[in-house]
Amino acid sequence: WIQYPDSVGNSTYNALQLKLERRFATGFTVLAGYTYGKSIDDTSGLRPGGGDTLFVNNPACVNSCERARSGFDTKQRFVASGLYELPIGRGANSWAKRMLLAGWQLGAIVTLESGLPATPSAGFDVPNVGVGTGQRPNATGVSTNLGSNRSVGRFFNTGAFTAQPLYVYGNAGRNVIEGPGIINADVSAVKPFQFSESKHLELRAEVFNFANHPIFGFPATNLRSAAYGKLTGTRIDSRQIQLAARFVF
């Protein structure tokens, strides 16, 4: 086979976007944004990555058979960030107390995001066309969504797909499996030390994935895999703590 890129893809995107902002005043600021949208295309790029496939399922049916959620489509996303400057030490009667107590800032970023889509895989080149990675199985008509019954060992309904006969293209759709979402919080504490108008030292303590909440990657979508339907890894690291010092001059 010969890989030949061509400008035949198309996409559409519609969304509702909301933004809430409180500008910094009395030591407090917050910025929050929410997006409810949907991106549909028949290809998400030459190297789509994630749970999307690199090749089409059936070269004779490109646009209509490949039209589905984009590989990067996120149905809902909410992000809120805030910064609070603690009101302590400002009125201290000594320079040392003001230096140690005043100016402490606490910050946080909270992210809630629905999962990205993934595509089922037949596991090998069933139609015998020379490209095994893009072949999809047959759909059984059963929904992939397990709802509240999802678990690490069975994240989607594996009965939604079945192997097709040899030398036949599967009819399962592209990006019809929704992967895990994101629930994440990052927090920080910052203490500046102002020595002059142009020189100051900043000490930072940051905790990423503060709650140590497991944020899983895509489930295994290969019908021939022993891990089919299971979550086998994470897409964001476990809790990380970072300490830093920065001197500005």
Side-chain angles (χ1 to χ4, degrees):
W1 56 271
I2 299 174
Q3 183 176 353
Y4 176 77
D6 200 359
S7 301
V8 297
N10 64 80
S11 64
T12 60
Y13 176 71
N14 294 281
L16 167 69
Q17 297 179 335
L18 302 175
K19 175 182 174 182
L20 174 67
E21 181 179 10
R22 183 189 191 276
R23 296 183 178 180
F24 190 79
T26 62
F28 177 67
T29 181
V30 66
L31 175 64
Y34 171 75
T35 300
Y36 178 75
K38 191 169 188 179
S39 177
I40 299 176
D41 60 29
D42 43 44
T43 176
S44 295
L46 290 175
R47 296 290 184 271
D52 208 349
T53 56
L54 181 60
F55 300 101
V56 299
N57 183 58
N58 183 350
C61 182
V62 178
N63 297 90
S64 59
C65 294
E66 297 300 305
R67 186 170 175 79
R69 289 178 60 191
S70 301
F72 50 81
D73 177 54
T74 302
K75 290 182 180 179
Q76 298 189 74
R77 178 175 169 84
F78 172 79
V79 179
S81 61
L83 183 67
Y84 180 56
E85 188 173 87
L86 298 179
I88 58 175
R90 297 174 184 173
N93 54 11
S94 71
W95 177 87
K97 286 184 178 181
R98 288 195 300 272
M99 178 68 73
L100 294 175
L101 299 178
W104 279 96
Q105 297 176 344
L106 302 180
I109 301 176
V110 177
T111 302
L112 305 176
E113 181 179 305
S114 56
L116 297 171
T119 302
S121 170
F124 73 107
D125 184 14
V126 182
N128 195 32
V129 294
V131 184
T133 56
Q135 303 306 325
R136 300 196 288 266
N138 275 342
T140 62
V142 178
S143 173
T144 61
N145 191 359
L146 290 175
S148 59
N149 293 321
R150 294 188 305 181
S151 65
V152 173
R154 190 167 182 258
F155 190 77
F156 65 90
N157 190 351
T158 54
F161 310 104
T162 186
Q164 73 270 40
L166 196 61
Y167 308 125
V168 175
Y169 289 111
N171 61 13
R174 167 177 162 258
N175 285 340
V176 292
I177 302 171
E178 182 163 316
I182 293 177
I183 301 176
N184 185 57
D186 302 327
V187 299
S188 65
V190 181
K191 176 63 176 82
F193 296 89
Q194 193 74 40
F195 300 113
S196 67
E197 185 176 343
S198 61
K199 298 180 180 65
H200 72 269
L201 174 67
E202 184 180 270
L203 301 181
R204 300 182 64 90
E206 297 168 312
V207 183
F208 304 100
N209 194 0
F210 176 77
N212 205 28
H213 182 78
I215 302 173
F216 293 101
F218 290 105
T221 61
N222 187 331
L223 265 70
R224 297 172 63 84
S225 171
Y228 177 54
K230 300 178 181 179
L231 298 174
T232 60
T234 57
R235 57 186 286 199
I236 293 181
D237 293 328
S238 301
R239 182 191 296 124
Q240 292 184 329
I241 301 175
Q242 176 177 287
L243 303 176
R246 186 178 69 156
F247 182 66
V248 179
F249 57 92

